[in-house]
Amino acid sequence: MNALSDRFGDFGGMFVPEILVPALEQLEAEFVAAQADPMFVAELGRLLAEYAGRPTPLTECRNLFAGTPLRVFLKREDLLHGGAHKTNQVLAQALLTKRMGKRRVIAETGAGQHGVATALACALLGLECRIYMGEKDCARQQQNVFRMELLGAEVVPVAAGSGTLKDAVNEALRDWTASYADTHYLLGTAAGPHPFPTLVREFQRVIGREARAQVIAQAGGLPDVVVACVGGGSNAIGIFADFIDDAGVRLVGVEAAGEGVASGRTGATLATGRPGVLHGAYTYLMQDADGQVTESHSISAGLDYPAVGPEHAYLQACGRASYVSVTDADALAAFQALARAEGILPALESAHALAYVQRLAKEANAPLTVVVNLSGRGDKDLATVMAALA
Amino acid sequence: MSARYERMFAACAERDEGAVIPFLMLGDPDSETSIARINKLVAAGAHALELGIPFSDPVADGPVIVAAANRALTAGVTPARCFELVAQVRARHPDIPIGLLVYANLVFARGIDAFYRDAAVAGVDSVLVADVPLRESVPFRAAAVKHGVAHVLILPPDANDKTIVAVAKAGAAYTYVLGRAGVTGADRAAAMPARERLELLAQAGGPPPVIGFGISKPEHAHAARAAGAAGVIVGSALIGWLHDGNDAAARFVKLVEAARGTQ
């Protein structure tokens, strides 16, 4: 008997080597049990409040959208400990790891944000931690490698393939096929095999739950639009989840167009991909006609992934959410604009969501209340932005 | 279908020998070389062939087979080309069982039905999809049955009784028994499964157990036979020998000899 549905419409599933199935089924059972265990819920709630800094504020933009019909509220996940929404679900999975009696955690990371969040949770909870990171990403993000090492993690550079996030996930899965008995694979986004997409959504749901209550209190009602960037899709599904039943609220996911959706150098999986299987899920992926997975591109490492969480594929297919894309250049402009107008440096990922709201502001001719998930802070991107502006 | 496997296993039983099945990546390092290698291995006594179609993200494979896939991809080898190569092998070796080892996305990209149809047309007897576990296998098995191809399932080393019985009932041609956890590779040797696990598999009507992952030495082939397996698959070790020009055919023959007459 499956405890939870493993599909979102046609998408999702558990496409992994047979040997990993028991570990995923164990995780599913432990996740269901933990959600019903008041002790677990209380412990996670305490960590989120006292360690990570929840609730995060909802900040209304004062200047950036002045003179437009938009009221724009930023959900400030950038203020969470670790600097991004990642910490929410990492703390939860680290607690699950202990519940399962496992002593070791492995994880993949692209730019290093999920790796840093995993490393800090493992330091806090006394878990051994190994992070797989593409060789190329290690070179691009040396500070985050050092950060993870300071937090006690072992960082393993992955040379295979393109040396980026996709290859780091492959290597983490390979490790897990040998180590599942005492090791939890702490996947970083709402993608991968069941139960990860559901589990990560539930542990990121706190973003939308808070934002919904806050916007009702601060704006006097539900928003018209909720906007979030989508790489794997964890911050987006986290803020969407509690709005999905509010039929009047438009949900918009913003993918990375990279140099343009037709340029061949893009991260816009839902716009340019086809359904298939990568890393355990049936979902949209960027691939050639034969099914070989192709390289993605985005200025923002967190959106540079050739697949997408299967629930986003489903929300697009059933029409409940719509997905748009924003180029590197527009995201960079939004990054600078928010810094100048509001005194906030957003992550380049979150800057994609903001750039779409700027587009909305140009088109709108009636008042519109918008909630944007400011999923992370931009300090990690300073070198990238400096190079791009040089 | 699995008729060629049935005849091969029956002949092995009659001669009191275990099957030794080489795994090679189609198109590694190029089409012509891989065909020449296959012919050489058949001449060296291979009982069946397990052939991979190169994929960009092979998560069940260790470095040796990943490198083989990359060499084939770099040589421009596509799934369509692989089906042509299989058809050549089939034309030359009409009786040898041929299995394909692939990843799910290659099957989805072609369409599940079309993939099994094309496999059957090329002369393939069995297909194993490395990242399609039993619980996802229904549409794959349906297409396999429709086109007369056997769908091979994997039995993990620590599978419980329920899984053993389920794999026995749903699998066809042979049961790919993992010699150990982890990914493919010769760096860590296979452990032989307990005899009662293979007995349970047989009692439940499961297809003959063949042990793979960590098979590299004659003693592994010997031990597999002694443990009650019908054969072994040797992949990474063999690809390593071939790649290093390390007298692969002679080493392969030693495995074949070690699997003889030990029951």
Side-chain angles (χ1 to χ4, degrees):
Chain A
M1 278 294 280
N2 298 335
L4 301 168
S5 168
D6 63 2
R7 287 293 195 282
F8 307 93
D10 293 338
F11 300 100
M14 195 187 279
F15 290 91
V16 294
E18 192 75 55
I19 195 167
L20 287 177
V21 169
L24 290 165
E25 289 178 345
Q26 177 195 18
L27 177 62
E28 176 184 40
E30 206 67 53
F31 165 64
V32 170
Q35 296 278 84
D37 176 357
M39 297 273 287
F40 179 88
V41 174
E43 192 177 4
L44 178 58
R46 200 161 48 241
L47 281 178
L48 289 174
E50 296 168 10
Y51 179 74
R54 296 216 78 87
T56 59
L58 187 74
T59 304
E60 180 168 9
C61 290
R62 287 173 172 246
N63 307 310
L64 185 56
F65 297 94
T68 78
L70 267 60
R71 287 187 75 183
V72 177
F73 294 83
L74 308 174
K75 182 57 177 164
R76 301 292 305 280
E77 295 302 294
D78 60 315
L79 296 178
L80 200 67
H81 177 48
H85 73 290
K86 299 278 184 192
T87 306
N88 295 323
Q89 74 99 6
V90 163
L91 287 171
Q93 284 201 54
L95 285 179
L96 276 182
T97 305
K98 301 206 74 140
R99 238 185 114 90
M100 290 186 287
K102 297 185 175 181
R103 56 165 192 90
R104 177 174 175 264
V105 161
I106 52 173
E108 81 295 341
T109 196
Q113 290 312 105
H114 176 58
V116 168
T118 302
L120 68 84
C122 288
L124 178 70
L125 296 172
L127 293 160
E128 194 182 320
C129 178
R130 172 186 278 192
I131 305 293
Y132 288 99
M133 185 169 181
E135 203 171 50
K136 214 180 285 174
D137 288 335
C138 286
R140 287 194 287 206
Q141 299 286 341
Q142 285 177 13
Q143 287 213 349
N144 267 343
V145 173
F146 187 51
R147 241 178 226 123
M148 288 184 268
E149 287 170 349
L150 284 174
L151 292 163
E154 177 197 2
V155 180
V156 178
V158 178
S162 53
T164 59
L165 177 59
K166 169 173 88 94
D167 309 291
V169 177
N170 289 342
E171 216 48 44
L173 282 167
R174 289 178 185 128
D175 181 315
W176 208 31
T177 61
S179 64
Y180 53 86
D182 69 352
T183 297
H184 176 57
Y185 178 17
L186 207 161
L187 189 74
T189 188
H194 178 71
F196 284 112
T198 300
L199 179 154
V200 172
R201 180 196 65 214
E202 289 309 305
F203 289 140
Q204 292 292 6
R205 182 185 284 275
V206 62
I207 304 171
R209 189 186 306 135
E210 287 176 7
R212 191 173 182 280
Q214 288 165 324
V215 71
I216 288 171
Q218 294 171 228
L222 286 168
D224 299 295
V225 192
V226 174
V227 181
C229 63
V230 177
S234 68
N235 91 79
I237 207 67
I239 199 164
F240 287 175
D242 264 33
F243 290 102
I244 283 179
D245 292 337
D246 298 321
V249 178
R250 271 176 58 205
L251 306 176
V252 181
V254 183
E255 294 193 298
E259 295 174 9
V261 287
S263 68
R265 284 177 55 78
T266 177
T269 307
L270 287 164
T272 64
R274 282 182 293 123
V277 166
L278 180 68
H279 300 149
Y282 183 74
T283 184
Y284 272 71
L285 39 132
M286 293 168 50
Q287 53 181 317
D288 68 14
D290 289 328
Q292 309 292 357
V293 181
T294 53
E295 300 289 323
S296 56
H297 166 80
S298 169
I299 190 170
S300 138
L303 304 182
D304 193 354
Y305 181 58
V308 64
E311 191 165 6
H312 290 295
Y314 167 69
L315 290 173
Q316 174 177 262
C318 72
R320 178 60 189 95
S322 53
Y323 294 84
V324 298
S325 59
V326 158
T327 61
D328 290 349
D330 287 351
L332 200 58
F335 178 99
Q336 295 169 271
L338 192 75
R340 291 296 294 270
E342 308 290 341
I344 298 170
L345 289 173
L348 275 173
E349 290 81 359
S350 322
H352 285 73
L354 274 170
Y356 171 71
V357 179
Q358 290 184 301
R359 201 187 293 167
L360 266 186
K362 283 197 195 113
E363 295 162 1
N365 43 25
L368 214 54
T369 303
V370 181
V371 172
V372 185
N373 197 3
L374 204 76
S375 55
R377 68 175 181 225
D379 305 61
K380 69 178 175 61
D381 294 317
L382 293 185
T384 307
V385 172
M386 217 187 278
L389 296 179
Chain B
M1 192 46 174
S2 48
R4 287 194 187 90
Y5 282 101
E6 283 166 20
R7 285 197 293 272
M8 181 273 287
F9 285 125
C12 279
E14 208 164 286
R15 293 194 299 263
D16 192 20
E17 64 188 33
V20 180
I21 305 174
F23 169 82
L24 289 180
M25 187 63 67
L26 287 160
D28 166 36
D30 55 65
S31 298
E32 292 67 31
T33 309
S34 82
I35 289 283
R37 287 173 173 179
I38 288 166
N39 291 336
K40 215 168 180 182
L41 288 163
V42 174
H47 294 84
L49 297 167
E50 189 73 6
L51 303 173
I53 298 183
F55 178 53
S56 55
D57 295 84
V59 295
D61 286 305
V64 171
I65 294 180
V66 170
N70 288 339
R71 285 191 295 269
L73 290 172
T74 303
V77 174
T78 61
R81 179 73 181 129
C82 289
F83 283 124
E84 290 169 15
L85 295 176
V86 170
Q88 286 179 32
V89 174
R90 172 52 73 218
R92 179 150 177 172
H93 308 287
D95 299 323
I96 198 164
I98 298 177
L100 279 186
L101 200 153
V102 298
Y103 283 86
N105 201 48
L106 298 178
V107 183
F108 278 118
R110 205 172 191 83
I112 296 179
D113 188 74
F115 187 92
Y116 283 86
R117 179 199 66 208
D118 294 349
V121 168
V124 165
D125 298 290
S126 71
V127 172
L128 194 167
V129 191
D131 51 350
V132 172
L134 183 58
R135 59 181 272 164
E136 297 290 354
S137 68
V138 170
F140 296 83
R141 284 191 278 135
V145 167
K146 179 178 163 193
H147 294 289
V149 174
H151 187 83
V152 173
L153 290 173
I154 282 199
L155 187 67
D158 53 1
N160 59 27
D161 289 2
K162 203 177 122 218
T163 303
I164 294 176
V165 171
V167 166
K169 294 201 183 312
Y174 68 92
T175 306
Y176 196 127
V177 179
L178 296 189
R180 55 162 175 73
V183 292
T184 55
D187 48 335
R188 287 187 307 120
M192 292 309 141
R195 187 168 266 280
E196 56 271 20
R197 290 163 46 76
L198 297 188
E199 279 167 6
L200 177 58
L201 182 75
Q203 278 162 23
V210 173
I211 298 177
F213 282 38
I215 301 290
S216 62
K217 298 191 168 117
E219 54 260 43
H220 299 150
H222 184 88
R225 187 83 183 117
V232 292
I233 295 179
V234 53
S236 296
L238 175 64
I239 291 170
W241 302 332
L242 287 163
H243 189 62
D244 300 340
N246 200 348
D247 211 3
R251 283 165 169 256
F252 184 79
V253 168
K254 290 211 166 66
L255 290 184
V256 174
E257 286 166 353
R260 275 189 193 138
T262 49
Q263 280 279 52

